[in-house]
Amino acid sequence: MTIGVGGAEDGEHRHVGPAHRRRTDDACPGVLRLHTAADGPLARIRLPGGMLRPSQLEALATAAETIGDGSIEITSRGNVQLRGVRDADALAVLLADADLLPAPRHDRVRNILASPHSGRIGGHTDVRALVDDLHAALTGRDGTAELPGRVLFALDDGSGDLSHRRADFGAHFVGPDRAAILIDGADTGVRVARDRVPDVLVDLAETFARIRGDAWRVRDLPDGGAGLVAAAGLVPDPDAATPEDLPGAPTSIGWFDQDDGAVTLAAATPLGVLPARTAHFLAAIDHPIVLTPDRFILVTDLDEGTAETVVRVLAPMGLIFDAASPWAEVTSCTGAPGCEHARADVRGDLVDAVRDDALPTTGRQHWVGCDRACGTPQGADIVVATDDGYRVADG
Ligand code: SF4
């Protein structure tokens, strides 16, 4: 078990001040390599597609209670983190038993986003099975084990809810059986049939792993990744039309009718932190859970009566189902005391600002404790701590 040093936040690091020194060691945490945060060892557990079986959520809640600090953090990649880990070996055993450590050599590269409502609401196609196929392709090759832990894959079902997030390697469906291949969120012009998507994305990633030098993300390459298409033997279609987003994919929290007549409930939890006790209740509903890159929790495939009961029980416990709540639009990094770089107790200050109706800007905003701006969602204003309060950065 390794205790490493590095960022405490999953996802984007968008500098809003002087650039930091480039690291030479990949310090992204995982299950087997923990990050030494200021408040103790931190483990990051990858959840491809953000998908969780109830038994897995139950295992995470138990781990948070018995080995961590009592809570589960949801990240901006739909992964989760446990803080204050007291026994790394016991955690690895517990997570492996829950099938949350299925590929130890590839543990930190299993970063796969999928349209959160796919197969239930909208979209050209159901990408849930493709998540499994992509995961199998990614973890089945030796060459991908050395990918940086920050590399991100995305499967957008055509809703357009993911492609703007600039995953390193993405597929954006333009029909039920055809996808556009994206690099760093940009259309390459390559079009492939559905069943080729996993291998094509992994071919690109393997090519990147071979040539990347000290680049952590595709966007760090001198050409921004433009040469990867030819290097992977792919040929753009000169007549390829620009993908158009389908309307209708929910982007906030609340009650959503599925195409099959069932109900998805989408909830926010303040600061993206889910107390273990609430997680136990969510697991007890015994329905599939999806965690989204907006740090929302989807409880899916409910009948109306069960959905009403879930809202009645879990809203008083702190889960938020009202899209008008500020917590539908505000997020934060860890801040002090969890991160040694923080200039402020960002979470405490954000809770105060929400309570006092004193947010410094409107709409999506992400509060951070320093210029590194960890975990900033695309399109959010950045509210950064200074030595003299907070300022809204240009982003
Ligand atoms: S304080 Fe800075 S380094 Fe620490 S989590 Fe926040 S943005 Fe990242």
Side-chain angles (χ1 to χ4, degrees):
M1 220 63 62
T2 306
I3 305 291
V5 293
E9 290 280 329
D10 200 0
E12 302 305 311
H13 292 192
R14 197 179 330 157
H15 295 288
V16 292
H20 284 235
R21 178 172 54 90
R22 176 169 282 185
R23 292 198 188 98
T24 54
D25 180 35
D26 184 359
C28 263
V31 172
L32 300 176
R33 176 177 180 140
L34 307 192
H35 163 67
T36 308
D39 58 350
L42 174 152
R44 183 173 300 156
I45 300 109
R46 268 77 179 177
L47 305 175
M51 295 187 284
L52 265 176
R53 299 193 292 273
S55 59
Q56 292 176 315
L57 182 57
E58 178 64 23
L60 287 170
T62 299
E65 247 168 16
T66 59
I67 303 173
D69 72 353
S71 294
I72 300 166
E73 284 186 355
I74 305 170
T75 79
S76 60
R77 289 180 162 190
N79 292 322
V80 294
Q81 297 183 160
L82 299 178
R83 309 190 74 91
V85 173
R86 294 187 292 279
D87 186 334
D89 293 320
L91 178 67
V93 170
L94 194 157
L95 296 178
D97 286 349
D99 197 24
L100 288 165
L101 181 59
R105 271 191 69 217
H106 292 76
D107 177 48
R108 295 183 301 158
V109 304
R110 303 163 52 246
N111 298 302
I112 302 174
L113 299 180
S115 293
H117 291 280
S118 193
R120 297 186 173 96
I121 303 174
H124 280 301
T125 188
D126 183 349
V127 296
R128 288 175 292 179
L130 270 187
V131 172
D132 294 337
D133 294 344
L134 176 55
H135 184 268
L138 180 64
T139 58
R141 297 198 204 175
D142 289 341
T144 53
E146 302 308 321
L147 278 170
R150 297 180 207 173
V151 167
L152 181 64
F153 297 83
L155 298 171
D156 189 315
D157 67 3
S159 303
D161 50 2
L162 288 185
S163 293
H164 65 285
R165 293 180 187 271
R166 293 182 62 187
D168 295 87
F169 307 105
H172 184 118
F173 275 82
V174 296
D177 189 43
R178 198 156 177 79
I181 299 300
L182 278 51
I183 291 182
D184 193 25
D187 185 5
T188 62
V190 174
R191 300 288 182 269
V192 299
R194 176 191 172 92
D195 59 0
R196 285 195 63 217
V197 165
D199 279 336
V200 166
L201 295 183
V202 176
D203 285 347
L204 287 165
E206 214 170 23
T207 305
F208 173 64
R210 212 169 45 240
I211 64 148
R212 73 180 183 90
D214 62 359
W216 295 115
R217 306 284 307 269
V218 160
R219 68 190 66 164
D220 300 330
L221 290 171
D223 67 354
L228 287 173
V229 168
L234 299 170
V235 180
D237 176 352
D239 300 322
T242 303
E244 288 184 13
D245 298 342
L246 292 173
T251 56
S252 188
I253 55 177
W255 173 298
F256 300 102
D257 295 327
Q258 297 180 189
D259 298 340
D260 63 0
V263 173
T264 286
L265 289 175
T269 181
L271 304 169
V273 176
L274 182 64
R277 180 166 177 268
T278 312
H280 282 303
F281 274 82
L282 277 167
I285 300 167
D286 203 20
H287 278 248
I289 301 283
V290 181
L291 304 183
T292 82
D294 289 317
R295 307 181 205 228
F296 299 152
I297 303 160
L298 309 187
V299 191
T300 66
D301 301 340
L302 301 167
D303 61 63
E304 289 199 5
T306 305
E308 285 169 2
T309 303
V310 169
V311 173
R312 206 163 45 240
V313 171
L314 291 183
M317 293 181 69
L319 283 193
I320 297 158
F321 298 93
D322 177 5
S325 166
W327 289 114
E329 302 213 285
V330 300
T331 51
S332 81
C333 78
T334 305
C339 178
E340 63 184 359
H341 303 294
R343 297 191 191 104
D345 173 10
V346 181
R347 290 178 168 182
D349 293 342
L350 178 53
V351 168
D352 290 349
V354 169
R355 183 198 59 213
D356 299 339
D357 196 17
L359 294 170
T361 183
T362 56
R364 286 257 151 130
Q365 55 194 279
H366 185 66
W367 286 43
V368 294
C370 76
D371 293 340
R372 198 152 178 256
C374 300
T376 302
Q378 288 287 329
D381 285 339
I382 302 173
V383 181
V384 58
T386 69
D387 293 333
D388 186 24
Y390 288 83
R391 69 181 167 89
V392 181
D394 292 335

